[in-house]
Amino acid sequence: MTDDRTHRPNQNRPFSDEETSGLYRAIHERRDVRSQFLPDPIPPDVLARLLDAAHHAPSVGFMQPWDFLVIDSKSVRSAVLSIFEEENRKAAENYEGERNAQYKSLKLQGILESPINLCITCDRSRGGSHVLGRNSIVETDLFSTCLAVQNFWLAARAEGIGVGWVSILDQEKLAKTLKLPEHVYPLAYLCLGFVSEFLEQPELQKKGWRSRLPLADLVRGSTWGESLTEPALEAEIRKG
């Protein structure tokens, strides 16, 4: 594993135009992959880089609450799939008529199709009883672990690796299946692999489930009811 100096020979220099473009490309072209996985294995050096990227996420109080379960066991994955199927049946009951039929037509996991699964967990005891910065908001350990997930996802996109987050799972059953200690929470169950394509749009948008909200409708001023006071910023946001 290379150290930080290999990644950042001069931490004070600005990113080049090419580097900046690559960062924004990864952000805008990241997709939640479910249907496009290829069987090709992920090379160990690539997976190690992705895990290293996740491990370099920011965390409140530098608590680093994450652990990474690299799941290649078919029996474990089959057990997780069973949990998904049970929860997915319950979720379908939230919709009626055409919406129910549309929900049932969506592919919402690639647990067995992807060559490997990964569970990113949050150790809620890491750092001890008093973690700097966590006194008022105890959920900051969960928030920090989400940042590790995002780091992993963006790095994966840059490496041409698809990632799908399976959120339709009973967390208690998942924790039991993965034999997690009581204080460790299974925050993100991910399917990983090379893909046949990255879709131009998010799959739920492409299939008409939801569309991306306009950014201009979501940016506000100093308080909730205020508009932006900077016309140039508002104009740039509306252009985008």
Side-chain angles (χ1 to χ4, degrees):
M1 187 73 65
T2 54
D3 65 16
D4 287 352
R5 291 171 296 178
T6 304
H7 293 296
R8 294 181 291 274
N10 180 357
Q11 295 186 43
N12 296 319
R13 69 175 178 84
F15 282 18
S16 67
D17 289 345
E18 183 178 11
E19 290 168 333
T20 301
S21 177
L23 172 61
Y24 282 108
R25 181 185 169 195
I27 291 170
H28 287 283
E29 294 185 12
R30 181 211 59 79
R31 294 289 177 264
D32 195 351
V33 176
R34 305 180 178 100
S35 307
Q36 297 83 33
F37 285 112
L38 299 174
D40 312 62
I42 301 174
D45 61 322
V46 175
L47 184 53
R49 284 198 297 271
L50 303 185
L51 294 170
D52 188 51
H55 185 46
H56 278 76
S59 61
V60 171
F62 205 39
M63 70 177 98
Q64 306 162 74
W66 43 73
D67 284 274
F68 307 97
L69 280 71
V70 181
I71 304 166
D72 54 8
S73 165
K74 289 293 179 67
S75 62
V76 171
R77 290 161 65 178
S78 294
V80 174
L81 179 60
S82 295
I83 298 172
F84 166 84
E85 290 172 340
E86 180 180 355
E87 294 302 307
N88 197 44
R89 283 192 293 271
K90 296 177 185 177
E93 295 173 358
N94 293 322
Y95 309 101
E96 298 179 350
E98 292 184 7
R99 198 64 163 172
N100 177 273
Q102 185 184 22
Y103 179 87
K104 289 179 178 178
S105 73
L106 297 172
K107 181 164 177 53
L108 301 176
Q109 55 78 29
I111 295 169
L112 297 184
E113 295 90 336
S114 58
I116 202 160
N117 295 178
L118 178 77
C119 187
I120 301 182
T121 63
C122 178
D123 183 340
R124 308 217 64 187
S125 68
R126 189 159 296 164
S129 301
H130 304 287
V131 175
L132 187 153
R134 194 186 175 194
N135 186 68
S136 301
I137 307 174
V138 297
E139 297 87 358
T140 51
D141 58 338
L142 299 172
F143 305 157
S144 298
T145 306
C146 284
L147 297 176
V149 176
Q150 180 77 334
N151 267 21
F152 185 92
W153 215 328
L154 294 177
R157 179 62 189 91
E159 296 274 6
I161 304 293
V163 177
W165 187 332
V166 184
S167 60
I168 306 172
L169 294 170
D170 182 295
Q171 298 299 80
E172 290 185 6
K173 292 179 180 177
L174 179 60
K176 184 176 180 180
T177 298
L178 301 180
K179 301 180 180 179
L180 301 182
E182 186 176 348
H183 58 278
V184 174
Y185 179 76
L187 185 133
Y189 194 92
L190 308 175
C191 305
L192 318 175
F194 291 103
V195 296
S196 57
E197 64 173 333
F198 286 98
L199 300 178
E200 290 186 10
Q201 295 179 318
E203 192 162 356
L204 292 183
Q205 181 173 349
K206 181 180 180 181
K207 294 189 174 180
W209 187 261
R210 279 186 67 90
S211 297
R212 190 178 301 281
L213 299 173
L215 176 61
D217 294 348
L218 307 175
V219 181
R220 309 176 191 280
S222 298
T223 61
W224 187 266
E226 290 186 54
S227 299
L228 290 172
T229 57
E230 177 52 66
L233 174 58
E234 184 175 4
E236 287 297 323
I237 289 172
R238 292 193 179 279
K239 277 168 51 180

